[in-house]
Amino acid sequence: MASLVPDAAVVGAAVAAESAALVAALRAAPVADLDRPTCCPPWTVRGEFAHAAIALSRTLEMLDAPAPPGPPIDAARYYSPDERFSPPADRQRVDTAQEFAEQRTPAVLIDWFEQLAAQVVARVAGTPGSRLVTTRHGDPMRLTDFQVTRVVELAVHGLDLADALGVAPWLTPQAAGVVEGLLFGLSAPRAAREPGVDRAALLRRATGRTALSAAEHTRLQKLGITWLTLG
């Protein structure tokens, strides 16, 4: 089933909402808790947050570069199981984020991300969503499709961080809607109404954060899920 990508304004609103929720949650957490381990070792809360922040910052770098020739890949293709998610690539992502986090105090890191998110939202809002950008893997993408992947980064890592902090997930409806559209296409509304599973739990199951039973796997398959390869 084809993924469902909403228009640029909807995706931009999801980036803004999920970024703001993330900032609020981390500011509310005791500073010592930002050094708690996450489900993505060896990342701490601060390290995994730095990874999500760096991922969002790539938007500005891409818009500063010339537009590449097409044809573009879509958001689902961005998560294909190839060298971009190989062990060496994953190790580089982990090390880069850890180093970035360790060079900054939690307050400085959170402030930087808040300012960055505002810059990204404003810059993207002033750019046509059809504008092609080059990903760090060398693929051309439509700006709106790439921003969908940034929503995935913020939403999925946000769930990890909430778990590590021992607080309720802050997944916003805006971000959940964008990710569900990517994962389930036109079946997204039906997937979001799965009995006994809230939207955060659905996203955990669909991205491998929660182990699936055989019945759950079959149910997601019947909903037409697009499985994403995540590091």
Side-chain angles (χ1 to χ4, degrees), residues 38-40 48 155-165 204 209:
T38 70
C39 65
C40 299
E48 191 168 349
V156 172
H157 289 300
L159 292 176
D160 296 344
L161 299 179
D163 288 345
L165 292 170
R204 284 192 176 100
R209 263 55 189 175

Side-chain angles (χ1 to χ4, degrees), residues 7-221:
D7 64 32
V10 172
V11 178
V15 171
E18 197 66 13
S19 297
L22 176 53
V23 166
L26 293 185
R27 284 203 172 124
V31 173
D33 286 359
L34 301 186
D35 288 321
R36 287 185 176 183
T38 70
C39 65
C40 299
W43 275 334
T44 60
V45 169
R46 189 156 42 126
E48 191 168 349
F49 169 53
H51 167 71
I54 292 169
L56 183 61
S57 75
R58 298 194 190 283
T59 302
L60 300 179
E61 299 169 13
M62 293 159 66
L63 287 173
D64 286 339
I73 65 168
D74 62 16
R77 175 69 179 79
Y78 180 85
Y79 294 102
S80 294
D82 54 25
E83 68 281 352
R84 74 194 71 193
F85 294 105
S86 65
D90 284 342
R91 170 52 56 186
Q92 183 181 29
R93 273 189 285 268
V94 169
D95 291 345
T96 298
Q98 286 289 92
E99 182 179 350
F100 192 89
E102 289 167 1
Q103 292 173 347
R104 293 158 179 82
T105 65
V108 167
L109 185 59
I110 294 169
D111 286 346
W112 174 77
F113 174 75
E114 183 175 41
Q115 295 165 14
L116 164 73
Q119 292 172 8
V120 169
V121 169
R123 184 85 177 270
V124 170
T127 306
S130 59
R131 200 271 207 196
L132 297 188
V133 295
T134 305
T135 72
R136 66 190 296 260
H137 310 295
D139 297 313
M141 290 186 77
R142 292 173 60 249
L143 177 60
T144 298
D145 287 332
F146 182 71
Q147 290 307 105
V148 168
T149 70
R150 301 309 88 182
V151 177
V152 172
E153 294 283 338
L154 293 169
V156 172
H157 289 300
L159 292 176
D160 296 344
L161 299 179
D163 288 345
L165 292 170
V167 300
W170 52 78
L171 179 66
T172 62
Q174 297 94 325
V178 169
V179 179
E180 289 160 2
L182 172 62
L183 293 171
F184 297 103
L186 294 176
S187 294
R190 192 152 50 98
R193 295 194 300 268
E194 280 290 279
V197 178
D198 62 26
R199 299 178 92 172
L202 176 65
L203 183 51
R204 284 192 176 100
R205 285 167 169 75
T207 60
R209 263 55 189 175
T210 298
L212 294 173
S213 67
E216 288 171 331
H217 188 278
T218 299
R219 178 60 180 158
L220 292 181
Q221 286 286 88

